[in-house]
Amino acid sequence: MQDFVLIAGAGLLGGAMNAIAGGGSFVTLPALVAAGVPSLSANATSTVALVPSALATAFAYRKDFQNFEGVKFSTMAVVSVVGGILGALLLISTPQRVFDHIFPFLLLFGVAVFALGRKLGDYLRARINVHPAALPVAQFALGIYGGYFGGAVGVMMLATWSVLTHASINMMQASRHLLNAAMNTTASLFFIFGGLIHWKQMGVLLVAAAIGGYVTGHYGRRLDPAKARVIITVLNSVIVALVFWRQYG
C-alpha cells in the first residue's frame, strides 16, 4: 500500500509538472524504481502511464499546429514515430543490468538539458546557420531518444527547433506536445507487447498523473513557467542525486 501511495503522489506531482513546464518523468520514473519496479520496466511503465495526458495536451493545442519552415508537419510526425519505434526496440533489447547502470546517467543528462536547453538553443542560434533539411534528421534522432528514454525530450525539441527554425514559441509548444505524444504512443505499443509494463502501478500512475495535470492546467495558468522551471530543476536535481546515492552509495 505504501508503494502505491508513493506512486500516486509521484503521479500527481509529475502530471502537475508536465502541465506547467515539463519534467514530470523525473519524478514518476524514480518513484516506480523506489517502489520495487525494475528500472527498465519502470521506464516503460512511466511512458505508457503518461501517454493519455500527453495526448490530451496535444488536443488542447490543436489550433496552433503549423508546418515548419520548408518541412511539412506530417514529415516531422513520420520521422518521430519511426525514431520512437527504433528507440523502443533498442530499450526492449537492452539487458536489465546494463540499463541499471546507465539509468542514473540518463536522468542526469535529462535534468541538464531541462535546465540549460533553452539557453543553449539561444546561444547556438546566434552562431549557427543551418539548412532546413537538418530539421527532420534532428527530429529522427530525438524520436529515437524519446522512444528509448524520453526524459526532457520535449525540452530538447524546443531547444533544437529554436536553433534550426524561426518558429514562434506557441507553434513549437503545439508541435512539441503532439510529436511527443506520437513517439510515446508508438513506443508504448512495443513496451506493452514486449511485456515490460507493471499494470497495477501503471494504472495508479496514469490516473494520478491525469488528475495532477488537469487540476494544475485548470488552476495554475497564472504561474510563471520560468519560475516553475527553476523549482522543477531543483527538485529533479535532488531526485537524481538520491538515485545516484541509492545506486552507487
Side-chain angles (χ1 to χ4, degrees):
M1 180 60 68
Q2 291 179 341
D3 290 342
F4 285 112
V5 172
L6 172 64
I7 293 171
L12 288 170
L13 181 58
M17 290 164 62
N18 282 339
I20 299 172
S25 60
F26 295 118
V27 175
T28 59
L29 184 49
L32 287 169
V33 173
V37 179
S39 60
L40 195 150
S41 293
N43 183 41
T45 299
S46 177
T47 297
V48 174
L50 294 177
V51 162
S53 60
L55 289 172
T57 306
F59 180 76
Y61 276 92
R62 63 191 182 279
K63 294 182 180 180
D64 296 316
F65 297 134
Q66 300 177 27
N67 289 326
F68 288 86
E69 303 161 19
V71 180
K72 292 183 178 180
F73 188 85
S74 58
T75 300
M76 296 289 284
V78 169
V79 297
S80 296
V81 168
V82 174
I85 291 173
L86 293 179
L89 292 175
L90 181 61
L91 179 68
I92 292 172
S93 64
T94 301
Q96 179 65 59
R97 59 182 179 80
V98 173
F99 194 81
D100 284 340
H101 287 293
I102 66 175
F103 159 65
F105 295 97
L106 288 171
L107 283 175
L108 180 61
F109 174 73
V111 169
V113 171
F114 186 86
L116 304 174
R118 290 187 177 180
K119 291 184 178 180
L120 179 60
D122 293 339
Y123 175 84
L124 293 176
R125 184 179 178 81
R127 291 162 177 80
I128 298 176
N129 292 318
V130 294
H131 192 275
L135 184 59
V137 175
Q139 188 63 28
F140 176 70
L142 289 169
I144 295 175
Y145 173 80
Y148 186 80
F149 183 65
V153 68
V155 179
M156 292 174 70
M157 281 192 277
L158 291 178
T160 300
W161 298 344
S162 69
V163 175
L164 302 181
T165 76
H166 294 85
S168 68
I169 185 63
N170 287 339
M171 180 269 183
M172 289 195 294
Q173 286 283 18
S175 299
R176 172 177 75 96
H177 288 299
L178 183 57
L179 295 179
N180 193 17
M183 64 179 68
N184 283 342
T185 300
T186 305
S188 294
L189 295 176
F190 284 85
F191 296 155
I192 291 171
F193 289 110
L196 296 179
I197 308 304
H198 286 233
W199 289 100
K200 291 181 179 179
Q201 291 86 342
M202 191 278 292
V204 173
L205 186 59
L206 186 154
V207 173
I211 294 173
Y214 174 79
V215 173
T216 304
H218 186 70
Y219 293 103
R221 295 180 179 179
R222 296 181 180 179
L223 295 175
D224 184 352
K227 294 180 180 178
R229 287 178 64 81
V230 173
I231 296 173
I232 291 172
T233 296
V234 173
L235 175 62
N236 288 342
S237 298
V238 172
I239 292 173
V240 172
L242 291 174
V243 169
F244 269 94
W245 177 77
R246 182 185 181 192
Q247 186 78 7
Y248 300 107

